[in-house]
Amino acid sequence: MRLTVLGSGTCVPSLERGAPAYHIETAEGVILVDCGSGTLRQLLRAGKSYKDIDAVFITHSHPDHISDLMPLIHALVATPEFKRSAPLYIVGPKSVGDFYEGCILSLMRSPRDFTVETVIAQGKLFMLAVDIYTCKTLHSHDSIAYRFEDSKGVVVITGDCDYDDSLAEFSSGADLLIADCSFPDGMKAPGHLTPSECGMLARKAGVKHLVLSHFYPVKTSDEEILNQCRSHFKGRITLAEDFMEFTL
Ligand SMILES: [Zn+2]
Ligand SMILES: [Zn+2]
């Protein structure tokens, strides 16, 4: 798998960080995880095409994670001299299917040339040569984390979450753990992780590489965030930036 960060930010507009979105190339296709506002433009900037996306996995229905879903479908329907025939899979908690049916389809017709298949993320899924598992997280009523496994390795994306042991167990042994790191230590917001908590999660899970992401704009320096995290996790830590790539 090759993962590209499209958005390492949040709902707060930022010139440095897009709203949450990650692009994963698998052996057989392309997955988007979350699709916050501006994701279509971030795809272009990253040199990726929205036309190639086979499936969109949504962690939860907060607007910063879901709001470019409608522009994505609109672009797939209305781009001149482009005709999509492959189905588009939208995977997520039940609320995401409800969002598609109730919100997107209230403003546009179902695509004529391809189908949109909404899939409830639960248990184990197999798609595009990847095994996919989900875990409920402590954030919103519908928030989940994803674990993607193929023959080369394991990627876990926490989505928005607070610390809990079951998430550490779910992330166990991951090659790459992309964790919500919304606010630094001392500014803890319930339902989100701090750098220290990200470190605790990574240590307990025994991951190889921890990538901190979902940064709200704050004045704390990168160095301080790293140090807060390092006091709990001695492995490799990266602070995500838009367009960073990780290959397993
Ligand atoms: Zn968020
Ligand atoms: Zn959220």
Side-chain angles (χ1 to χ4, degrees):
M1 284 177 278
R2 178 157 57 167
L3 183 144
T4 305
V5 177
L6 297 175
S8 56
T10 62
C11 62
V12 178
S14 158
L15 292 174
E16 280 79 44
R17 299 183 185 280
Y22 304 92
H23 180 275
I24 301 176
E25 285 160 61
T26 78
E28 289 185 6
V30 178
I31 287 170
L32 207 57
V33 181
D34 282 338
C35 193
S37 59
T39 296
L40 285 194
R41 201 140 181 265
Q42 292 293 84
L43 276 165
L44 290 184
R45 289 197 171 119
K48 316 285 185 195
S49 178
Y50 62 95
K51 297 173 185 172
D52 297 335
I53 293 163
D54 296 292
V56 186
F57 286 72
I58 301 285
T59 58
H60 63 301
S61 58
H62 283 163
D64 56 325
H65 295 256
I66 200 170
S67 53
D68 248 16
L69 210 44
M70 179 152 39
L72 171 64
I73 296 168
H74 192 189
L76 291 173
V77 167
T79 300
E81 295 173 19
F82 170 69
K83 194 166 178 178
R84 184 184 177 104
S85 53
L88 176 73
Y89 293 93
I90 298 176
V91 186
K94 184 181 171 296
S95 54
V96 173
D98 295 344
F99 175 76
Y100 176 68
E101 302 279 338
C103 185
I104 296 180
L105 288 186
S106 72
L107 294 180
M108 59 186 288
R109 284 183 313 201
S110 284
R112 256 201 323 239
D113 298 321
F114 66 95
T115 57
V116 174
E117 310 273 356
T118 55
V119 178
I120 295 179
Q122 55 190 7
K124 180 184 170 184
L125 297 171
F126 179 74
M127 207 179 267
L128 305 166
V130 179
D131 285 317
I132 301 133
Y133 303 85
T134 58
C135 171
K136 179 74 189 79
T137 62
L138 299 175
H139 175 70
S140 61
H141 73 283
D142 61 351
S143 56
I144 53 177
Y146 287 105
R147 179 181 176 105
F148 300 94
E149 294 189 7
D150 72 4
S151 58
K152 301 269 176 60
V154 176
V155 176
V156 173
I157 298 178
T158 67
D160 293 5
C161 66
D162 210 327
Y163 184 86
D164 78 298
D165 283 339
S166 62
L167 182 59
E169 198 174 312
F170 178 75
S171 310
S172 147
D175 297 280
L176 199 61
L177 170 63
I178 300 194
D180 169 355
C181 187
S182 288
F183 299 102
D185 294 8
M187 290 178 66
K188 166 75 180 170
H192 291 290
L193 295 172
T194 62
S196 282
E197 289 170 329
C198 288
M200 284 186 244
L201 182 69
R203 186 184 62 204
K204 180 134 194 180
V207 306
K208 293 202 180 73
H209 186 177
L210 169 63
V211 177
L212 307 181
S213 191
H214 199 270
F215 292 109
Y216 277 84
V218 291
K219 292 198 171 69
T220 314
S221 70
D222 288 359
E223 194 59 30
E224 270 177 89
I225 289 171
L226 259 183
N227 287 338
Q228 291 170 0
C229 189
R230 251 195 214 119
S231 60
H232 296 273
F233 178 63
K234 303 302 175 203
R236 187 173 170 204
I237 305 166
T238 301
L239 270 56
E241 291 174 16
D242 292 6
F243 312 118
M244 272 185 176
E245 290 203 345
F246 304 92
T247 303
L248 298 186

